[in-house]
Structures are given as structure tokens and as C-alpha cells.
């Protein structure tokens, strides 16, 4: 149990950030993180790579949430709760990223924020690395169009 | 090689992830199901003796509580009401000291600082501003639209959930306590005096009853980990409490117009949500069967909700009769239902590029009665109603405005300029009922 608790404490913050970026919701990301760790807790002793299981779980939970209420709930949010001194052009980028389909957004978050390899992203999204590459290209192309760059 | 757009995406995400999570990880607590599954204890004689003592004490408590005449009871969806104390909830409020604000300037624009001394007897809107998530210098501000003034009523660390009393004289908000629990605090707006009492550690929403005499709290109790709608008097004393089913997550709390019922949603995992209605006086629960992502009241017997995959539906409180509002688009959130319960605001389903119209739809007939032009391109954030007009948030460089929209052509009237700078944000904006009713 202490092994799980230590894992939980060391992986909580990064998992929370990932869930927040994928959901863009202050209201749900903590619940999703808790749910992911709960699922992991059930199987923790049997897993060789609990970190891999955790990241697959959190990405899938965020996707499930997003399919339902995420898109609409986000529209009701009055102001994106952005911390720090954010330049206006970065706010435009975030707005454009938020408007991407979940899969494209997930690829950008996992690739450019989490720094995962295409193979790792392909694993959690259940697709081929080539698909990750093409999805990222489509997402960036769409951002360029929206941002006029 | 990383091109400019990749660079901007990386930087934007890095900035946005700052400050998440606001605090460290909460203490790990496995659910009851897991505990039973993985940690089944071996019963020793002392443990059996302790368990027997606890069971005996529980029987005595149940017998005593069943002798009460007041409906201070709790129920769980799918189970009959039982005259037992809500686990983890105290019928006698426990007054607490709120955490003090950290020293330093408030994270809002300088021109607002000059307005905070203006007296406000009756607020029309309230919002929270802070530097970042969980900022200990965040504040609640209230607005008097006639004088265009703002006043800070609470200069304390707050979590974001809050509500204005229907008459605009009091603000209730959630305040984190040092021991990990949350406090429900009520601030009297004319005097600024605040009273607070402790609740569970997880409080998602708090709402005033239509009369302003009671509060409904959506919280997850620390002992049984059930999401509940708990109704308390203004002084914090417990009136009634009902929970969604085990394993469901509670959301979307709403009082019925007559104040006799409270509706909430219970969501099974990340799947469909079902409405749960708590009759406050009788302490009974009923369930609606139709999935929705939020619900609001049309009248004392009918709820309006948004379907998970678009469109709006009307259902009765027993969940027997349901019908769709046959209009393209999606409702503009729980605040889309007009104060008289007759109309609902519908927005386009698509992201909306260029001019957007907000449709006013009759809930009974499904007919579009009016179309209002959004005050800026794209799908607007609708705050709610102001008489027969609609309050919408408009973004302007460096600030946000609340605009009253009343026609298809006019640009709308600005009723509140909210402070917002690169260092501040607002996570909540609530409209008092007296103001919404016009």
C-alpha cells in the first residue's frame, strides 16, 4: 500500500496537469484524476508499468468525458482560468487548441506539453504512430489557418 | 525542427498548466468497494468486540433519531428514506474561523480599487477574481448596475463556488479550511459581515432557495463518499439531505421555483446522468430516467435539461413523461430558462463563425418567439435573463463586459465592466434573481 501511496503522490501533479489540459475544465479534472488512480489502485500490485497504465487511463477518461459534456460545459465557462501573465497571442493559441477535436488536441498536448514520443501517444490513443503524425499535422494546419499564420 | 506554431503551442500549454493542481495531492482514500476487495481484514477478538460496540451504539443512535419530529433525515436514491443522521453532517452548525487573506494587493485592475469603497445595499451580480487557481488573495466582488460600482465583499481565499441571495443582500461562497474541509460562508453585503460553518471536504455548488431562507449544498460526505444535496437553514442547521446512488457523481443543483424541491444529477462514471429530485419537506427522492448534462426547473413539476448529444428535453419530476423541444441547436446552459419558466435560450450547435443569433424558444410549444443578435461574432456566453432581455458576456481587449441584449439589431447595453487583466481571472459570475427578473 505504501508503494501505491508513494506512486500516487509522485504522479498526482503531472496527471492533474495532463487532465486539465485535455479537459480544459476546472470542475472535472480532479475527479478524473481520482478515478484514474482508483482504477490503478485496483491493479497496482499486478502491473509491471503502472505509469503506462495510468497515462492510458487518464487519456481515455478525458476522452470519454469530452465525448459527453465537455464541449458544452466548456462553452459555459466565462473566462478561461489562465494563471500567470499570459500574452494575448498565447490566449489566441489556447482558444484555437480548445476548439480542436479531442483527438487532435490530445495529440498536441501529449506531444508538445508532455513530450511523449509518437509511439507512446499511439499506444494511449490506440492507433498507429503514423496516424499520430498525420493527426498532429492536421491539428497544426488548422491552428495556422485559425491564427492566420 | 520546431516551427513557430509548434513553439507557440508548447509555450501556451506550458503557461496554462501552471498552477495545476492548486494544491498537492489530496490524501489517498480508496472507495469502500476497493477496500472490501483488496483489504479484507482478518477479524481478531478485540476487533469483534469493538465492532459490536459500534453496532450497539449505532442502534441506539438510530432509535433516538427516529424519535425526532423534525425532518432532519437523509435518503439515498433507490432506497427508502431512513430516519438516520446524515453521515459526516452535523445538524448543529459548527462555526469556524475562515482563513485570512494573504497580504498584498488584490489582483484586479487599479481603477476597480478606487471603487471598492462604494456602498452597495443590494447587489445585482457577483463574481470572483484572483490571480490564479486557489489564489489566497482572490476576492468576491459585487456590482450595483445602476451606479456602475463594484465592491469587494470578501477578501478571503475562496474556491469559486458561490451564489447571490435572491434579493441581492447576501453572498454565499465556499471557503477552504486549514484542516482540508470546506466552509460555507455567508457574507452580508451591506455590512460585509461574514459567518461561516464547516461542511464536507468536497463542496461543488451552493445555491440559495427562492425565499433566501435556506441553502442547498452539493457535497460529497467524507464518511460514505456519497454525493448529496443537503439543505440547511441560513444559520447552517440541517434540514434534509438526499444522495445520488453509490458510485454516481453529483452535479447540476437547482431549486424548484416554489422552494419545495431540489434537483441534482447523478452521473454513473462518465456515462449517462439521471436527475434526482429531493422533496425537502417530505424528504423523499424520485428519479428521472432521461439522461441529461444539466437540469433546470420550468415549474414545480417539470424539469428542462440538455441532452448529452444535443437538444433539450422536458421531463416531469417522476421521470414518467418526457418530450423534446424540437428546435435545432443547444440550450445555453441552466441559466437559459427564463425566470418565469416559459422560455429557453437556444444557441447554434456549431462553433459559430460570424454573427450569431440567440433564439428565444417557448418551452411549451417549441416555437421560436424571438431572435436576438449576439453582441460579438461567435457563440456567446449567456449569463441569464434581465426581464425579457438576455445578459451576455462580451470580450473586449483587456476586459470583459456584461451586455444586455434586447433586439436583433442593436449592439446592446453594457451593464457591467468586469475587471480582468493578464494577472487576474474570474471563475464565477452569478446574477441575483431580483435582477434577472427585471
Amino acid at each position: 500500500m505504501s508503494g501505491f501511496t508513494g506512486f500516487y503522490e509522485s504522479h498526482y501533479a503531472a496527471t492533474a496537469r495532463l487532465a486539465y489540459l485535455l479537459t480544459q475544465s476546472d470542475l472535472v479534472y480532479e475527479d478524473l484524476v481520482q478515478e484514474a488512480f482508483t482504477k490503478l489502485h485496483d491493479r497496482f500490485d499486478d502491473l509491471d508499468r503502472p505509469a503506462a497504465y495510468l497515462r492510458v487511463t487518464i487519456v481515455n477518461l478525458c476522452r470519454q468525458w469530452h465525448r459527453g459534456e465537455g464541449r458544452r460545459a466548456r462553452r459555459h465557462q466565462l473566462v478561461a482560468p489562465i494563471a500567470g501573465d499570459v500574452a494575448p497571442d498565447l490566449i489566441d493559441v489556447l482558444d484555437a487548441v480548445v476548439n480542436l477535436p479531442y483527438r487532435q488536441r490530445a495529440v498536441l498536448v501529449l506531444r508538445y506539453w508532455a513530450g511523449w514520443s509518437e509511439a507512446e501517444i499511439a499506444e494511449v490513443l490506440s492507433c498507429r504512430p503514423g496516424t499520430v503524425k498525420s493527426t498532429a499535422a492536421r491539428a497544426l494546419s488548422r491552428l495556422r489557418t485559425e491564427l492566420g499564420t | 525542427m520546431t516551427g513557430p506554431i509548434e513553439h507557440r503551442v508548447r509555450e501556451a500549454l506550458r503557461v496554462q498548466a501552471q498552477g495545476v493542481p492548486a494544491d498537492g495531492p489530496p490524501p489517498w482514500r480508496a472507495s469502500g468497494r476497493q477496500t472490501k476487495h483488496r483489504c479484507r481484514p482478518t477479524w481478531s477478538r478485540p476487533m469483534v468486540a469493538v465492532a459490536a460496540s459500534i453496532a450497539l451504539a449505532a442502534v441506539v443512535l438510530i432509535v433516538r433519531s427516529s424519535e425526532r419530529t423534525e425532518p432532519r433525515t437523509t435518503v439515498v436514491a433507490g432506497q427508502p428514506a431512513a430516519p438516520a443522521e446524515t453521515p459526516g453532517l452535523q445538524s448543529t452548525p459548527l462555526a469556524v474561523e475562515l482563513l485570512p487573506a494573504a497580504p498584498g494587493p488584490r489582483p484586479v485592475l487599479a481603477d476597480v480599487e478606487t471603487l471598492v469603497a462604494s456602498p452597495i445595499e443590494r447587489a445585482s451580480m457577483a463574481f470572483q477574481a484572483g490571480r490564479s487557481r486557489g489564489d489566497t488573495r482572490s476576492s468576491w466582488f459585487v456590482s450595483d448596475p445602476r451606479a456602475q460600482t463594484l465592491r469587494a465583499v470578501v477578501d478571503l481565499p475562496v474556491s469559486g463556488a458561490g451564489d447571490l441571495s435572491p434579493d441581492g443582500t447576501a453572498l454565499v461562497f465556499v471557503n477552504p479550511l486549514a484542516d482540508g474541509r470546506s466552509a460555507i460562508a455567508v457574507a452580508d453585503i451591506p455590512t460585509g459581515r461574514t459567518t461561516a460553518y464547516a461542511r464536507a471536504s468536497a463542496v461543488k455548488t451552493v445555491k440559495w432557495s427562492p425565499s433566501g431562507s435556506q441553502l442547498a449544498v452539493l457535497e460529497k460526505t467524507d464518511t460514505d463518499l456519497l454525493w448529496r444535496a443537503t439543505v440547511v437553514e441560513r444559520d447552517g442547521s440541517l434540514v434534509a439531505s438526499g444522495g445520488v446512488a453509490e458510485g454516481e457523481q453529483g452535479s447540476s443543483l437547482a431549486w424548484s421555483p416554489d422552494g419545495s424541491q431540489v434537483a441534482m444529477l447523478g452521473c454513473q462514471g462518465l456515462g449517462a446522468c439521471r436527475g434526482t429530485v429531493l422533496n425537502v419537506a417530505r424528504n423523499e427522492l424520485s428519479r428521472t430516467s432521461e439522461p441529461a448534462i444539466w437540469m433546470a426547473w420550468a415549474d414545480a413539476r417539470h424539469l428542462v435539461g440538455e441532452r448529452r448529444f444535443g437538444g433539450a428535453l422536458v421531463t416531469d419530476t417522476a421521470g414518467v413523461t418526457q418530450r423534446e423541444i424540437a428546435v435545432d441547436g443547444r440550450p445555453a446552459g441552466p441559466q437559459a430558462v427564463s425566470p418565469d419558466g416559459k422560455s429557453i435560450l437556444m444557441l447554434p450547435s456549431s462553433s459559430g463563425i460570424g454573427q450569431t443569433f440567440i433564439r428565444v424558444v417557448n418551452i411549451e410549444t417549441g416555437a421560436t418567439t424571438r431572435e436576438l443578435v449576439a453582441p460579438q461574432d461567435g457563440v456567446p456566453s449567456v449569463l441569464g435573463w434581465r426581464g425579457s432581455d438576455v445578459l451576455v458576456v462580451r470580450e473586449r481587449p483587456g476586459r470583459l463586459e456584461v451586455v444586455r441584449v434586447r433586439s436583433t439589431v442593436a449592439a446592446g447595453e453594457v451593464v457591467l465592466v468586469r475587471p480582468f487583466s493578464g494577472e487576474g481571472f474570474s471563475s464565477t459570475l452569478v446574477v441575483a434573481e431580483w435582477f434577472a427578473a427585471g
Side-chain angles (χ1 to χ4, degrees), chain B residues 387-400:
Chain B
S388 60
D389 305 331
V390 178
L391 295 174
V392 176
V393 176
R394 176 167 61 188
E395 294 177 40
R396 285 285 183 261
R399 70 176 193 274
L400 293 172

Side-chain angles (χ1 to χ4, degrees), chain A residues 1 4 8 12 17 20 24 26 31 38 42 45 61 68 72 75 78-79 81 84 86 112 144 149, chain B residues 5-6 8 10 15-16 20 25-26 28 33-34 38 133 249 270 306 308 310 330 381 400 422 426 429:
Chain A
M1 188 61 201
F4 176 82
Y8 168 74
Y12 179 87
R17 289 186 199 110
Y20 176 69
Q24 300 286 323
D26 258 351
D31 289 337
T38 301
D42 272 348
D45 293 339
L61 286 174
R72 288 181 180 80
R75 290 177 197 281
L78 298 173
V79 182
V86 184
Y112 294 114
R144 286 191 193 95
T149 58
Chain B
I5 187 66
E6 292 92 331
R8 291 167 68 190
R10 183 178 286 116
V15 169
Q16 197 182 29
V20 176
W28 172 253
R33 181 181 63 80
Q34 293 159 340
R38 297 189 62 80
R133 226 168 276 96
Q249 182 166 325
L270 297 166
E306 180 177 356
R308 181 164 288 275
R330 62 181 181 83
S381 291
L400 293 172
S426 298
L429 204 160

Side-chain angles (χ1 to χ4, degrees), chain B residues 121-181:
Chain B
E121 296 295 317
R122 201 179 182 208
S124 59
M125 284 181 263
F127 63 91
Q128 185 210 347
R131 189 182 301 275
S132 64
R133 226 168 276 96
D135 192 340
T136 55
R137 285 169 293 185
S138 58
S139 305
W140 271 97
F141 289 82
V142 294
S143 160
D144 172 1
R146 288 166 297 182
Q148 289 279 296
T149 57
L150 293 164
R151 179 173 163 228
V153 286
V154 181
D155 194 7
L156 294 164
V158 288
S159 75
D163 196 23
L164 267 177
S165 64
D167 63 0
T169 60
L171 173 75
V172 63
F173 60 95
V174 181
N175 182 272
L177 295 173
D179 62 5
R181 290 179 299 166

Side-chain angles (χ1 to χ4, degrees), chain B residues 361-437:
Chain B
V361 174
N362 185 295
I363 291 175
E364 181 67 30
T365 64
T368 299
T369 57
R370 278 194 301 159
E371 282 194 333
L372 306 173
V373 66
Q376 68 180 58
D377 287 352
V379 179
S381 291
V382 174
L383 273 181
W385 292 76
R386 172 82 170 109
S388 60
D389 305 331
V390 178
L391 295 174
V392 176
V393 176
R394 176 167 61 188
E395 294 177 40
R396 285 285 183 261
R399 70 176 193 274
L400 293 172
E401 298 171 342
V402 177
V403 179
R404 179 177 184 170
V405 180
R406 62 183 68 184
S407 74
T408 57
V409 290
E413 167 198 359
V414 177
V415 295
L416 173 67
V417 179
R418 300 170 65 198
F420 177 74
S421 70
E423 291 189 337
F425 73 91
S426 298
S427 61
T428 309
L429 204 160
V430 290
V431 180
E433 281 181 28
W434 74 267
F435 185 72

